[in-house]
Amino acid sequence: MQEATQRDCRVPRRRVFSKAGLALCSVLLAGSFLAGCKDPAPSFKSTDITGADYGKSLSLTDVGSGRKVSLEDFRGKLVLVFFGFTHCPDVCPTTLLKAAEVKKQLGPEGDKLQVLFVTVDPERDSPEALAKYVPAFDPSFIGLRGDANETSKAAREFKVFYQKVPNRDGTSYNVDHTAASYVLDTQGRLRLFVRHAQPAEEIVSDLRQLL
């Protein structure tokens, strides 16, 4: 009789989930699913300098329009900034030629790229000379110019080096300068350091990721 009673009193084990437990499981499963659906982190060929504490501002004269412009004027576009000078024998023209090729390879998205050429030689690069030189590579490219103090301030903001180097007889000079370019995203944030020797195809790939 005792054994029969014990058998009758046994309660089968069941898994009991509270409402809170079910809710937690749902949240965890949803989070796991969403994590698996996130876009992969960009893989740039250029040097990724996202979060850099420089390259945040620029205020110089657009030699084409004659008005002062700032980086805020180009929000909504990718901005490629290069510091150079019109008498540059090789680095500057090849950089601008490559920038034009990059814009071409971007196809319809090329309209979302703004190239800014900042002269580090305002003494010789008059507004007229700069306005003729820069758009010759692409009509949309903008030449920017400032006086000596404004040029120095802009270069410091982007950590760009430049220095006059007189020729042997002292009749003229060259300008040594940083040969790389910078890219800001559509929100005006500094994102990429582009080396001079970097192929156009790699730059196009990086810009597509930013777009």
Side-chain angles (χ1 to χ4, degrees), residues 60-70 73-74 142-145:
L60 294 167
T61 299
D62 172 352
V63 296
S65 66
R67 67 184 182 87
K68 276 286 184 69
V69 296
S70 65
D73 293 318
F74 305 104
I142 294 176
L144 297 181
R145 183 182 183 276

Side-chain angles (χ1 to χ4, degrees), residues 62 65 77 115 133 167 170 186 189:
D62 172 352
S65 66
K77 289 190 173 185
V115 174
Y133 178 81
N167 59 12
T186 56
R189 299 171 298 192

Side-chain angles (χ1 to χ4, degrees), residues 6-111:
Q6 289 177 346
R7 283 196 299 271
D8 293 339
C9 292
R10 288 174 184 167
V11 178
R13 295 182 179 179
R14 292 183 300 172
R15 293 183 178 180
V16 179
F17 293 95
S18 67
K19 291 183 179 179
L22 289 171
L24 178 60
C25 288
S26 298
V27 170
L28 291 174
L29 287 171
S32 176
F33 175 77
L34 291 175
C37 294
K38 286 183 178 178
D39 292 333
S43 177
F44 297 122
K45 302 296 183 181
S46 307
T47 302
D48 187 348
I49 53 174
T50 302
D53 62 352
Y54 57 93
K56 296 182 178 180
S57 63
L58 193 67
S59 180
L60 294 167
T61 299
D62 172 352
V63 296
S65 66
R67 67 184 182 87
K68 276 286 184 69
V69 296
S70 65
L71 293 177
E72 287 73 20
D73 293 318
F74 305 104
R75 290 288 171 86
K77 289 190 173 185
L78 296 180
V79 178
L80 186 147
V81 183
F82 179 76
F83 288 72
F85 63 113
T86 63
H87 288 74
C88 180
D90 46 26
V91 171
C92 300
T94 55
T95 296
L96 288 172
L97 282 170
K98 188 185 298 182
E101 177 61 23
V102 166
K103 181 180 178 182
K104 180 180 178 181
Q105 290 189 27
L106 282 171
E109 292 184 311
D111 291 338

Side-chain angles (χ1 to χ4, degrees), residues 39-204:
D39 292 333
S43 177
F44 297 122
K45 302 296 183 181
S46 307
T47 302
D48 187 348
I49 53 174
T50 302
D53 62 352
Y54 57 93
K56 296 182 178 180
S57 63
L58 193 67
S59 180
L60 294 167
T61 299
D62 172 352
V63 296
S65 66
R67 67 184 182 87
K68 276 286 184 69
V69 296
S70 65
L71 293 177
E72 287 73 20
D73 293 318
F74 305 104
R75 290 288 171 86
K77 289 190 173 185
L78 296 180
V79 178
L80 186 147
V81 183
F82 179 76
F83 288 72
F85 63 113
T86 63
H87 288 74
C88 180
D90 46 26
V91 171
C92 300
T94 55
T95 296
L96 288 172
L97 282 170
K98 188 185 298 182
E101 177 61 23
V102 166
K103 181 180 178 182
K104 180 180 178 181
Q105 290 189 27
L106 282 171
E109 292 184 311
D111 291 338
K112 299 177 183 178
L113 173 65
Q114 180 61 63
V115 174
L116 303 179
F117 180 90
V118 181
T119 179
V120 292
D121 187 17
E123 183 178 337
R124 291 184 298 188
D125 288 347
S126 66
E128 295 76 18
L130 203 58
K132 183 178 180 181
Y133 178 81
V134 178
F137 296 91
D138 186 277
S140 72
F141 291 2
I142 294 176
L144 297 181
R145 183 182 183 276
D147 60 25
N149 289 333
E150 291 171 327
T151 301
S152 177
K153 180 180 179 181
R156 287 197 307 271
E157 176 62 25
F158 279 82
K159 297 188 180 297
V160 167
F161 166 84
Y162 68 99
Q163 182 179 29
K164 281 186 179 181
V165 181
N167 59 12
R168 291 186 177 182
D169 60 13
T171 59
S172 185
Y173 62 89
N174 198 359
V175 182
D176 287 346
H177 62 94
T178 301
S181 305
Y182 292 96
V183 173
L184 295 90
D185 65 19
T186 56
Q187 301 302 311
R189 299 171 298 192
L190 190 60
R191 300 295 300 274
L192 301 175
F193 179 87
V194 183
R195 303 178 303 279
H196 171 64
Q198 197 156 340
E201 293 74 16
E202 293 186 359
I203 302 172
V204 170

